[in-house]
Amino acid sequence: MPSTSRSSTRRSGSSGRRRKPDFSRPELTTPWQKFTRNVFVRVAAAVVLVGGTGALTWVAVNNSL
């Protein structure tokens, strides 16, 4: 009698799906796109935003006291 469990009948989770082909063209990428994809730039922007928000909050709290 054959097994009826689903796990034994499937080969792999991605066997029915095909990966989409990569249509990116590096020669069409602008310097701004390359700059904004940089991880360091993203981290620096987050630090500046959080730091600026914290500084403004600190100033507002100190001025209200």
Side-chain angles (χ1 to χ4, degrees), residues 47-64:
V47 168
V48 168
L49 287 173
V50 170
T53 303
L56 289 174
T57 304
W58 182 78
V59 168
V61 168
N62 282 339
N63 283 340
S64 66

Side-chain angles (χ1 to χ4, degrees), residues 16-37:
R17 299 181 200 157
R18 291 189 178 184
R19 187 177 178 154
K20 292 182 180 179
D22 184 18
F23 290 112
S24 64
R25 296 190 45 198
E27 67 273 12
L28 297 179
T29 305
T30 65
W32 176 252
Q33 289 172 327
K34 290 178 186 176
F35 179 74
T36 56
R37 277 193 213 132

